Amino acid sequence: MNNMAVLDTGFLISLVDSNRQCHRAARSYYKYFLENSVVMLLPTVVVAEFSIVQPITDLPLRNFRVLPFNLPEAVKCAELNVHHYRQQLGKVGQRDAVKDDFKVIAQAVVQQARLLVTEDETTLCKYCERLTSDRKIEFRVVKLSAGFDEALVNKDGQRGLLPPEKAAD
């Protein structure tokens, strides 16, 4: 696994909006990633979603590596999507529109990212839980709602000396 974190739309919105419930956690993870050389991947699919809410220029773009959605990601997306829908619903796959969540998941797989950071527990996390239990994905999903926890994002699973609330300052 590469020392990379794929960032989901909710993470970005919470990072720049101090009124969001997960703002502090998003800011803490952002700071941790910068200080520990974790490459932050910004999928173009996420850019499209974020841009509906606010301008992409509101983000610290210089600290992200833009991740285009290309042929390998498209093929992996279809594979994961078909697997999920066949397992869950007994259907061939979602054909009318492939969920953006599966596109982001596929990008994390193709990039061999170690982490996917999200605020979306209702869909994205559930898809990842299922795909993890089926051994289709290996990266760790970091839920912003749980707050900042260094052990979730560092390579050895150890916590630093500072309690999580101090790490954000």
Side-chain angles (χ1 to χ4, degrees), residues 19 23 51 62 64 74 79 82 84 98 106-107 110 117 122 131 148 162 168:
N19 295 317
H23 173 71
S51 295
R62 69 188 175 285
F64 301 136
E79 174 191 318
V82 167
H84 173 78
V98 178
Q107 289 188 291
V110 171
V117 188
T122 54
L131 293 168
F148 177 77
L162 294 176

Side-chain angles (χ1 to χ4, degrees), residues 77-86 93-94 98-99 102:
C77 178
E79 174 191 318
L80 294 171
N81 185 278
V82 167
H83 173 81
H84 173 78
Y85 283 94
R86 187 173 288 145
Q94 180 189 26
V98 178
K99 295 278 297 169
F102 279 96

Side-chain angles (χ1 to χ4, degrees), residues 43-58:
T44 52
V45 173
V46 168
V47 170
E49 290 179 338
F50 182 88
S51 295
I52 293 169
V53 177
Q54 65 191 99
I56 195 68
T57 53
D58 288 352

Side-chain angles (χ1 to χ4, degrees), residues 56-76:
I56 195 68
T57 53
D58 288 352
L59 293 172
L61 294 173
R62 69 188 175 285
N63 294 320
F64 301 136
R65 183 182 302 163
V66 176
L67 187 57
F69 188 77
N70 292 313
L71 186 61
E73 291 87 353
V75 171
K76 181 56 74 175

